[in-house]
Amino acid sequence: MEIKSISIIVAMQQEANPIISALGLVYSGKISEQLPMLNYEGITNGVNVNLVTNGICPTYGIDLVASQPSILSTYVCVEKRKPSLIINAGTAGGFKKYGANIGDVYLGSPHVCFHDRRINLPGFSEYGMGFYTTYPCEVMAKKMALKTGVVSTGNSLDFSDDDKRVMDTYKGSVKDMEAAAVGWVANLLQIPFIAVKAITDIVDGSTPTKDEFLNNLELASENLAAQLAKIVCFLSTNDLH
């Protein structure tokens, strides 16, 4: 597959800023005048790249995190930019039982899921989890020495026993708040999709998630940006298969 353009969907501005700098992107305004999502664009290694942040909530004045804003960002971005490939980039929690360390960067593979859409009805349980396919990235992961695993999405920062039970069924090794939402839109529209996540906190560790997240957000975002710049360059010159 020839990749001519890449759209990167990022929830938080603090996550996005190092990526914008690393890729040399320039702010070009809102992706849609009616919405808070912001657009940055440029050319990296001959590939047109744009990055969309979810923007700031007009009611609460904070970054628009979690699934609903990410769905909207992705759909509007696709309508406006028609990308060859979508990347959801951001920070996430990892698990020591699967070997995660603070600052690790993961590629989502072979799919992304939801862990907090529990619909205990015939057929709806599978729909709730989703299993949205990511574009094959094993070759890239091996060449770039990146970890891979199932990225699992929920709309809460905490981690309940029910979340754990669901994630254990598909060995979810990265916990975030956006990937499966972006993956759903990408799969519906049949656009190749990759999730790239940097670890801020160890979910099954002893430190409270909110403390670890805040303490490690800058480090994880810098690692994310460095690896994402390499990923975009790799994608511009290689087939992922």
Side-chain angles (χ1 to χ4, degrees):
M1 180 186 72
E2 182 182 4
I3 297 175
K4 296 181 178 179
S5 60
I6 297 173
S7 289
I8 304 170
I9 309 298
V10 184
M12 298 178 68
Q13 193 67 41
Q14 191 170 345
E15 295 171 325
N17 286 337
I19 301 171
I20 293 165
S21 178
L23 295 177
L25 305 181
V26 176
Y27 177 62
S28 61
K30 290 184 175 182
I31 193 74
S32 170
E33 285 302 317
Q34 293 79 29
L35 300 172
M37 290 76 189
L38 306 180
N39 189 57
Y40 302 80
E41 55 188 59
I43 298 176
T44 300
N45 222 35
V47 175
N48 291 313
V49 177
N50 80 294
L51 180 149
V52 175
T53 63
N54 289 348
I56 301 299
C57 175
T59 302
Y60 297 103
I62 46 83
D63 291 282
L64 284 164
V65 301
S67 61
Q68 293 99 320
S70 299
I71 288 170
L72 193 55
S73 293
T74 307
Y75 183 75
V76 174
C77 180
V78 169
E79 287 291 291
K80 298 283 187 178
R81 301 305 296 254
K82 312 296 183 188
S84 305
L85 180 138
I86 296 170
I87 296 175
N88 173 228
T91 59
F95 292 81
K96 63 181 180 181
K97 68 181 179 181
Y98 294 128
N101 298 299
I102 299 296
D104 283 349
V105 176
Y106 277 78
L107 297 176
S109 179
H111 42 242
V112 294
C113 301
F114 284 107
H115 56 257
D116 65 350
R117 300 200 312 178
R118 295 178 288 274
I119 311 170
N120 190 23
L121 294 170
F124 284 82
S125 293
E126 293 79 8
Y127 160 77
M129 287 185 279
F131 296 98
Y132 307 118
T133 304
T134 58
Y135 199 67
C137 55
E138 290 79 9
V139 172
M140 181 167 65
K142 185 176 181 179
K143 289 185 176 180
M144 295 183 61
L146 297 175
K147 294 181 177 180
T148 63
V150 175
V151 180
S152 188
T153 297
N155 280 307
S156 298
L157 187 65
D158 63 8
F159 187 58
S160 71
D161 289 341
D162 284 332
D163 294 337
K164 180 181 183 303
R165 175 183 56 78
V166 173
M167 288 183 69
D168 282 348
T169 65
Y170 48 73
K171 295 184 178 179
S173 55
V174 178
K175 176 181 174 289
D176 87 326
M177 300 178 75
E178 289 87 23
V182 178
W184 176 62
V185 178
N187 278 201
L188 274 179
L189 301 178
Q190 298 183 329
I191 301 172
F193 161 71
I194 299 173
V196 185
K197 298 290 169 174
I199 302 303
T200 53
D201 55 278
I202 304 302
V203 181
D204 53 350
S206 58
T207 304
T209 296
K210 66 175 184 178
D211 295 339
E212 242 180 355
F213 173 79
L214 293 172
N215 289 339
N216 297 312
L217 178 58
E218 182 177 357
L219 168 67
S221 297
E222 292 289 346
N223 287 2
L224 177 67
Q227 294 298 338
L228 197 56
K230 296 176 183 177
I231 287 169
V232 171
C233 288
F234 184 97
L235 292 171
S236 70
T237 56
N238 295 268
D239 193 312
L240 289 184
H241 289 294

